[in-house]
Amino acid sequence: QVQLVQSGAEVKRPGASVKVSCKTSGYTFTSQGIGWVRQVPGRGLEWMGWTNIDIDNRKYAPAFKGRVTMTTDASTRTAYMELRSLTSDDTAVYYCSRGDGIAFDWGQGTPVTVSS
Amino acid sequence: EIVMTQSPASLSVAPGDGATLACRASQSVSGNVAWYQQKPGHPPRLLIYHASSRASGVPGRFSGSGSRTEFSLTISSLQSEDVAVYYCQQYSDWPRTFGQGTKVEIK
């Protein structure tokens, strides 16, 4: 079956960067892209962006442009999301999902805490 | 960007009763709407895509309808395990956007 397994919880200082990984299995990795969504505690879902193996074919939400980079490694079937210049407002659970528009399957989530 | 607005913000329903959740898009998204269910401490789960197609393994009591700017998710007979927050999402245009969610509780 399809599985997306994300890296573990992170604690970062303000101004630092975080890189979250999403290792996939159970489907043809190159057939669909990976999206990223975050959820601030007690709040709703916020779409961050999407990428596939074509590095020229990435889409980022305006709120994150210039601060986020999404990549994939087809050899390890893993997607990555790096967010820079962290502030306390970036404290959230970050999810990866499989699909180009529809998020068919989701990772378990990676909590990221930004605190001095 | 396309704004998705859900109503009501919360809903309290007796077991066995039906519930209808609404989602409105700020411009036409054709039929490119998905619905997700999220239980506390869990990632979202896809319920409905293409406005009315049930995802694999989703019980038949969940159904979706709508087109262009008006969409709805109906739970025909609420079960205790349906307590969750439900989100709509459009994938007609970039950036993809979610509604703010509707919380469904048992009365």
Side-chain angles (χ1 to χ4, degrees), chain B residues 11-21 37 61-62 73-84 86 103-107:
Chain B
L11 199 54
S12 185
V13 182
D17 282 357
T20 298
L21 287 61
Q37 175 193 64
R61 62 181 181 274
F62 291 94
L73 173 71
T74 298
I75 309 171
S76 61
S77 175
L78 194 81
Q79 308 296 304
S80 57
E81 61 262 34
D82 301 333
V83 169
Y86 294 82
K103 186 175 185 179
V104 174
E105 299 172 315
I106 292 282
K107 188 182 290 183

Side-chain angles (χ1 to χ4, degrees), chain A residues 37 39 43-47 50 59-62 95 100-104 106-108, chain B residues 1 34 36 38 42-46 49-50 87 89 91 94-100:
Chain A
V37 171
Q39 187 167 38
R43 304 290 295 275
L45 303 174
E46 183 177 18
W47 188 84
W50 170 92
K59 304 289 186 182
Y60 298 138
Y95 295 103
D100 298 328
I102 305 159
F104 288 99
W106 295 69
Q108 82 278 18
Chain B
E1 72 179 45
Y36 303 89
Q38 187 179 32
H42 291 269
R45 170 198 179 195
L46 177 67
Y49 62 96
H50 294 342
Y87 296 93
Q89 179 221 347
Y91 50 92
W94 304 99
R96 312 312 195 196
T97 47
F98 289 94
Q100 78 278 24

Side-chain angles (χ1 to χ4, degrees), chain B residues 4-16:
Chain B
M4 305 297 282
T5 303
Q6 291 185 240
S7 61
S10 63
L11 199 54
S12 185
V13 182

Side-chain angles (χ1 to χ4, degrees), chain A:
Chain A
Q1 75 280 22
V2 175
Q3 284 193 305
L4 290 81
V5 179
Q6 298 184 223
S7 48
E10 302 265 12
V11 179
K12 296 292 182 182
R13 299 291 191 201
S17 299
V18 67
K19 192 169 187 177
V20 179
S21 67
C22 173
K23 186 165 179 61
T24 71
S25 61
Y27 72 101
T28 303
F29 183 73
T30 53
S31 68
Q32 289 181 309
I34 295 288
W36 292 88
V37 171
R38 80 175 184 182
Q39 187 167 38
V40 171
R43 304 290 295 275
L45 303 174
E46 183 177 18
W47 188 84
M48 297 180 68
W50 170 92
T51 187
N52 64 9
I53 60 166
D54 182 353
I55 61 171
D56 292 326
N57 193 19
R58 302 175 199 175
K59 304 289 186 182
Y60 298 138
F64 300 98
K65 243 174 209 176
R67 207 161 67 91
V68 70
T69 301
M70 297 174 185
T71 56
T72 59
D73 182 343
S75 68
T76 59
R77 303 175 56 90
T78 302
Y80 299 91
M81 186 282 297
E82 181 181 34
L83 188 62
R84 300 176 291 277
S85 302
L86 294 169
T87 72
S88 58
D89 291 341
D90 295 313
T91 294
V93 177
Y94 290 78
Y95 295 103
C96 62
S97 64
R98 174 183 73 99
D100 298 328
I102 305 159
F104 288 99
D105 303 282
W106 295 69
Q108 82 278 18
T110 296
V112 174
T113 301
V114 183
S115 174
S116 55

Side-chain angles (χ1 to χ4, degrees), chain B residues 59-73:
Chain B
R61 62 181 181 274
F62 291 94
S63 63
S65 65
S67 66
R68 295 181 59 79
T69 62
E70 301 287 340
F71 300 89
S72 62
L73 173 71

